[in-house]
Amino acid sequence: MSRNEILKSIRAQRVPTAELPSLDRTWLRFADPLAQFESQLAGVGGRAVRVRSTDEIAPILNARPEFANANGIVSHVAGVAANCDLATIADPHELESVDWAIMPAEFGVAENGAAWVTDERIRHRAIYFIVQHLALVLPADQIVHNMHEAYARLSVGSSSLGVFISGPSKTADIEQSLVIGAHGPRSLTVFLVEPA
Amino acid sequence: MNHAPLAAAFVADAPRAKWHDETLWFVRAKRDKAAQSVPEWEELRECAAQIKAHTVSRLADYLEQFEREATRRGAVVHWARNAAEHNEIVLKLLSDRGVKRLVKSKSMLTEECHLNPFLERHGIEVVDTDLGERIVQLAGESPSHIVLPAIHKKKEDVGQIFHEHLGTTAGATDPNYLTEAARQHLREKFVQAEAGLTGVNFAIAETGGFVVCTNEGNADLGVSLPTLHIASMGIEKLVPRAQDLGVFLRLLARSATGQPITTYSSHFHGPRPGGELHIVLVDNGRSDILASDEFRRSLNCIRCGACMNTCPVYRRSGGHSYQTSVPGPIGSILAPSRNPKMFYSLPQACSLCGSCSDVCPVKIDLHHQLLTWRRELAHQGLLSRSKRLGMQAMSFVFRRPALYRLAGRVARWLTPLLPRFMIYNGLNAWGKQRELPDFPAKSFGEQYAERRRHESQRNS
Ligand code: SF4
C-alpha cells in the first residue's frame, strides 16, 4: 500500500507543467571521429590499435607477454583462439581464473572513447568485468560522434545488460592518485578493424 | 547538531584543511576543463533542467510507466515510503533466500537509509565495494563526499587502515600497492557474495531499465556473480526517454571528476538469465519536496558533487561537519527539508558566493534556495540564540538612524584603542582566522555627504 500512498502523495502536489524538450538538434561533431575516438581512449588509459582484418589481432596479442602467458582466454572473435568456452561454464564464479577476454563491440563514441557492448548471446556477462585484460573489437567505420547519436542507433533494453566501456577499470580514491586496475580489467585494448 | 563547531574542529588541523581545500579545487579545475571542451555545454544544462522539470511535473505517471515496463521485463518493483520500509524490504529479500553476505556498490540512498548497520544487526555481512567507501567502512566512518567518499583521508591514513584490516605492510602509503591489496581483498568478497546491491544513477520510464555509472566496475562485478540483484533508487531518478540519457551522461562525469564519461555506464533491463532483479523505489520525503515551489528543483540533482568541490565552505569544513549523507550546498538544502530542527545550521554556513549554482549541471539555483532556507528557518524560529539576539539588536539599531550614526562614530573611535583580546574573542565570529580591516576615519555616510557638498560647490 506504500505504492498507492506514494503515488497519491505525488499526485496531490501541484507541480507546474513543463514541456519535454526535443533533443533533435545538431550536437558536437568531429572532423575525424576515428582519430578523436583514439585520442579519447588513450586519455582514459585505454589503447586503440587499427588493424586491416581480424586476422591481425592474434599475432598482435601474442606479442604481449601478459597474453602469451595467460591462463584462461575467452574469445568471441573469429581468428583469435581461446581455451575457455563461456557456453560450457555453468557458474560465472569459475571465470575468476580467466585472464583475457576478446569480445566484439557494436560501435564506439568519438566524444568520450566509449565502446558499446551487451550480453546478448553471451552466457555470462561477468566476462567483461572479471578478467584481468579485456580486448574489444569493432569496425572502424562504426564510430558515432556523440552520445546523442549513440542513443539514436542503439536499442536500449533489447538485452538485459548493455554497457558503455571507456578504458580499463580505475580508481582515484586514495589521495586522487589515478590507479589503473581497481576491480575489473587492468587494461583495455580496442581493435579497430578498417573496412576492407 | 551544529555545523560551525564541527567545521572548527576540522579546520583546527590547518595543514590538513589546506590540503583538503586544494585537492577539491583540483577536481573543480578538471571539471572546468571538461565543461569547456563541450561547446554546447550550456545547451546541455538547459536540456537537463527542462527534462527534469518535465519529469517531476508528471512523476506519478512516469513511475507507473517505469513499474509497468520493468515488470514486463521480469524485474520486481517494490515501493518504500521511508527509510525503514526500504530496509525492511531489502532484509526480507535477503533473508527469504538465506543470504548472509551482500556486496554493495556506491549508493548514497542506502547511506541515507542507514542500511548497513540495520543489516548488520540482522547478522548480514555488508561490504561496500567502491574503494573509497570500503576505506571509510573499514575506518568505521561514513563517506564525507558523495563522489569521493574518502577524500578526507590521506594515503598515510589509508595505509594504516589497510595495515590493521587487510594486513598490508606497516607504513606503506603507495596508492598502487594499497589499491592492489584492496583489489585482492574485494575480489574475495565479490566471489563469496550471495547478493549484490547497487544504487541507480538514472532510471528510464520508457524502457523500465536503469543506468549505474562507476569507474571501478564494482557495480557490474557485484551483480554479475550472484543471482540476486537489488537496486535501490530514489523516486526522483527517473528520466522519461532513453535518449535523455545522452544529455545526462555527457554532463555527469564531466561535472563530477572531469572525465568525458565514467569507465562503465551500465544499462540494466530485467534480470539476467536465471537471476532475479528487484528494484526498490524510495520516497523518504521526496514527494514532500515536490510540493514546494522554492525547493522543488533540488530534486533535479544528479549527485555529481560539483557543488561540493567548488564550495569554499565545504572545501574548508570537510564533509563530516555536515552530519548528513549528502553534504555541501545541495545537502544543506535537502537536509533541512527532512528535519529543519536538526539541520537548521547548514544553510547559515553558506557565503552566498553562487559558485555552486554556476557549476551545477542541472541548473539548480542552489544559493537562492539556501537563502530561502535561511528566511524560512528564521520564520520557524529555528535560529540559534546568539544569531537571533544579534539580529534583533541590529534591527533595533538599523531602525534608528541617529543611533546608527552614533554607534558608528563610537566604534570608529573606540575600536582602534581597544586591546586585542577585546576584539578577537569568542563573541566576534568575524575575527576568527582573519584580521579585521582597519576602521576608516569617516563613515560611508560622512564621505558621501562630503562629496555631495564638493560637487554642489563645483557646480554652483
Ligand atoms: S546540486 Fe547540482 S552540482 Fe550539486 S551534486 Fe547535485 S547536480 Fe551536482
Side-chain angles (χ1 to χ4, degrees), chain B residues 139-161:
Chain B
E141 297 176 12
S142 55
S144 74
H145 186 289
I146 56 176
V147 173
L148 318 162
I151 193 71
H152 60 294
K153 294 264 180 239
K154 305 205 72 160
K155 53 182 191 269
E156 290 76 21
D157 306 330
V158 179
Q160 181 59 32
I161 295 165

Side-chain angles (χ1 to χ4, degrees), chain B residues 66 198-204 207-212 229-231 233 266-270 277-279:
Chain B
F66 175 79
T198 67
V200 166
N201 287 91
F202 306 100
I204 314 145
T207 64
F210 59 92
V211 176
V212 183
H229 176 182
I230 304 171
M233 67 173 261
S266 307
H267 302 54
F268 295 96
H269 283 84
L277 173 62
H278 292 262
I279 304 169

Side-chain angles (χ1 to χ4, degrees), chain A:
Chain A
M1 291 328 54
S2 303
R3 172 185 189 276
N4 295 341
E5 261 183 54
I6 293 170
L7 290 172
K8 206 172 103 202
S9 135
I10 295 172
R11 288 214 161 91
Q13 321 292 15
R14 229 183 290 259
V15 182
T17 52
E19 285 291 307
L20 188 58
S22 157
L23 300 178
D24 192 11
R25 39 186 115 185
T26 322
W27 301 101
L28 180 63
R29 293 177 73 85
F30 302 94
D32 184 349
L34 182 60
Q36 172 73 17
F37 178 84
E38 290 172 321
S39 75
Q40 286 295 309
L41 184 59
V44 295
R47 211 165 77 105
V49 182
R50 291 196 202 194
V51 291
R52 275 183 307 266
S53 81
T54 47
D55 298 340
E56 289 181 15
I57 295 174
I60 293 173
L61 286 173
N62 277 319
R64 285 171 67 171
E66 72 272 20
F67 185 82
N69 304 327
N71 275 325
I73 299 174
V74 165
S75 166
H76 281 219
V77 171
V80 183
N83 58 14
C84 170
D85 181 2
L86 284 191
T88 63
I89 287 179
D91 182 348
H93 287 85
E94 289 170 38
L95 300 174
E96 250 253 285
S97 57
V98 175
D99 285 344
W100 273 85
I102 299 93
M103 310 295 286
E106 279 176 31
F107 65 93
V109 186
E111 76 159 305
N112 53 27
W116 175 253
V117 300
T118 72
D119 65 353
E120 230 168 290
R121 290 186 297 276
I122 287 167
R123 174 128 188 228
H124 299 293
R125 53 162 77 156
I127 193 67
Y128 293 114
F129 315 106
I130 200 166
V131 292
Q132 302 294 320
H133 301 275
L134 178 64
L136 298 175
V137 180
L138 70 105
D141 58 359
Q142 298 300 307
I143 305 286
V144 299
H145 291 270
N146 54 54
M147 290 299 284
H148 312 285
E149 289 181 17
Y151 280 105
R153 85 166 268 172
L154 64 86
S155 116
V156 178
S158 61
S159 45
S160 67
L161 177 73
V163 195
F164 285 110
I165 298 182
S166 164
S169 161
K170 59 177 89 60
T171 180
D173 273 339
I174 302 176
E175 279 203 25
Q176 285 294 293
S177 343
L178 183 70
V179 181
I180 303 279
H183 310 285
R186 299 170 190 271
S187 78
L188 175 76
T189 312
V190 177
F191 289 101
L192 297 155
V193 187
E194 293 181 87

Side-chain angles (χ1 to χ4, degrees), chain B residues 353-417:
Chain B
C353 73
S355 181
C356 47
S357 308
D358 278 344
V359 297
C360 179
V362 287
K363 284 200 157 179
I364 301 174
D365 53 339
L366 291 147
H367 70 292
H368 287 137
Q369 295 192 25
L370 284 164
L371 186 60
T372 308
W373 257 126
R374 289 195 191 175
R375 219 175 298 134
E376 174 69 13
L377 291 165
H379 196 69
Q380 293 183 14
L382 285 172
L383 290 189
S384 65
R385 205 175 123 81
S386 64
K387 217 159 233 143
R388 212 168 51 234
L389 290 179
M391 298 224 288
Q392 274 165 3
M394 271 209 272
S395 112
F396 183 83
V397 176
F398 285 159
R399 259 183 274 152
R400 291 164 180 79
L403 180 60
Y404 172 72
R405 279 193 295 274
L406 176 68
R409 232 171 292 140
V410 171
R412 280 194 303 284
W413 167 73
L414 187 63
T415 313
L417 304 176

Side-chain angles (χ1 to χ4, degrees), chain B residues 229-345:
Chain B
H229 176 182
I230 304 171
S232 296
M233 67 173 261
I235 53 172
E236 84 285 16
K237 294 281 177 186
L238 270 184
V239 298
R241 313 163 292 195
Q243 56 165 314
D244 297 323
L245 295 170
V247 173
F248 289 101
L249 291 191
R250 294 186 76 190
L251 289 167
L252 178 64
R254 288 186 174 100
S255 299
T257 56
Q259 292 170 256
I261 190 171
T262 47
T263 303
Y264 303 97
S265 310
S266 307
H267 302 54
F268 295 96
H269 283 84
R272 66 178 158 105
E276 281 183 84
L277 173 62
H278 292 262
I279 304 169
V280 191
L281 297 170
V282 184
D283 182 343
N284 208 27
R286 287 163 175 77
S287 62
D288 295 332
I289 300 180
L290 208 56
S292 138
D293 286 332
E294 282 82 15
F295 301 120
R296 182 178 308 120
R297 277 181 308 270
S298 65
L299 293 176
N300 292 8
C301 176
I302 57 173
R303 304 286 192 266
C304 71
C307 57
M308 292 157 212
N309 303 342
T310 200
C311 176
V313 177
Y314 175 90
R315 294 202 315 267
R316 287 170 184 79
S317 52
H320 283 153
S321 63
Y322 291 79
Q323 299 276 295
T324 154
S325 58
V326 179
I330 182 66
S332 303
I333 294 167
L334 295 174
S337 305
R338 232 162 256 142
N339 190 341
K341 272 209 183 66
M342 185 158 166
F343 295 110
Y344 73 95
S345 69

Side-chain angles (χ1 to χ4, degrees), chain B residues 16 23 46 77 95 97 102 199 276 322 358 390 409 426 434 436 447 455 459:
Chain B
R16 184 177 277 256
T23 310
E46 188 54 44
V77 177
S95 45
R97 291 159 187 76
L102 174 72
E276 281 183 84
Y322 291 79
D358 278 344
R409 232 171 292 140
R434 54 154 103 72
L436 295 178
Q447 291 181 38
E455 269 170 19
N459 294 344

